Amino acid sequence: MSANRPGTALSKPLAVTMVVIGLGGLLGAFELATEYVKTLQNPAYTPNCSLNILVTCGPNMQSWQGSLFGFPNALLGLMCFIFPIAVGMSTLAGARMARWYWQLFNIGMLGGYVFITWLYSQSIFVIGTLCPWCMEVWFFMIFGFWYITAWNLREGHFGSGLKRFGVWLFHWAWVVSLLNLVLIAVLAEIRLGWIEFLL
């Protein structure tokens, strides 16, 4: 990277947020992976996330949607959630990255966001269960995607014309993320009636 183009870095609060997002998603993926292995070792094993017939991860893990690429989706989480941790820790160590780096990172986060959007749609409308560890992954992926996208737009990494929108989106990213989660909860209530079930 030339001296004329020193690159940009996340603010320290956002860097810490990326680390927390990575660790949170990694924990969910790790639990899913270990529970999947335990079910392979003992078909009669009841996963620790199976609370009742609605809130359970067994059907999700055993479905074809749970192994879309021929291996458990949890392995993708174990690989991919390392990146937000690495980005956050690199920033805290003083690293500044080029525009293309942030663009690629955002594209990766977009891929993860699209994937979990498909997964929760399948979970709600096809499989008919709510997987606790899956929901943890959804939670952290949603916040990570909206925050890093807003920051990239604000910094002009996707064009100067979007910077003003990026400023607005970054300010309200927490609200957008919460609305995204509310949307999932509403869809789950309409399709599965989880509130009445829990009450």
Side-chain angles (χ1 to χ4, degrees):
M1 198 180 309
S2 68
N4 295 328
R5 299 179 63 187
T8 52
L10 304 173
S11 65
K12 287 187 177 181
L14 186 54
V16 171
T17 299
M18 286 295 112
V19 173
V20 171
I21 284 167
L23 290 173
L26 196 61
L27 174 62
F30 177 79
E31 286 293 337
L32 281 169
T34 55
E35 291 303 297
Y36 182 78
V37 170
K38 290 175 182 177
T39 60
L40 292 179
Q41 294 173 331
N42 178 13
Y45 173 75
T46 301
N48 63 10
C49 46
S50 297
L51 306 181
N52 50 53
I53 60 172
L54 178 61
V55 182
T56 178
C57 58
N60 298 66
M61 290 191 299
Q62 300 302 326
S63 67
W64 66 266
Q65 293 94 331
S67 300
L68 184 62
F69 301 104
F71 54 85
N73 295 338
L75 297 183
L76 281 175
L78 291 175
M79 293 185 290
C80 295
F81 277 109
I82 292 296
F83 289 98
I85 299 173
V87 167
M89 293 300 292
S90 297
T91 297
L92 293 174
R96 300 175 67 86
M97 273 71 89
R99 177 180 178 180
W100 63 263
Y101 180 95
W102 294 116
Q103 290 173 335
L104 287 178
F105 181 56
N106 210 145
I107 291 170
M109 293 294 283
L110 172 62
Y113 179 80
V114 170
F115 189 47
I116 65 104
T117 299
W118 179 79
L119 286 174
Y120 72 65
S121 300
Q122 291 292 303
S123 183
I124 293 171
F125 293 103
V126 179
I127 302 172
T129 60
L130 297 173
C131 166
W133 295 120
C134 300
M135 289 189 287
E136 178 176 337
V137 171
W138 305 342
F139 175 89
F140 286 104
M141 189 70 244
I142 286 169
F143 271 90
F145 167 73
W146 285 115
Y147 265 101
I148 202 63
T149 299
W151 179 82
N152 268 313
L153 293 174
R154 190 189 71 177
E155 295 298 311
H157 293 154
F158 289 102
S160 58
L162 295 171
K163 291 180 71 172
R164 179 176 293 184
F165 174 68
V167 171
W168 176 88
L169 183 59
F170 190 81
H171 182 73
W172 295 105
W174 66 275
V175 175
V176 175
S177 299
L178 287 177
L179 288 175
N180 200 157
L181 295 171
V182 169
L183 172 63
I184 297 173
V186 170
L187 292 174
E189 171 59 22
I190 293 172
R191 178 67 176 86
L192 304 174
W194 62 271
I195 294 178
E196 182 180 358
F197 185 89
L198 293 179
L199 293 178

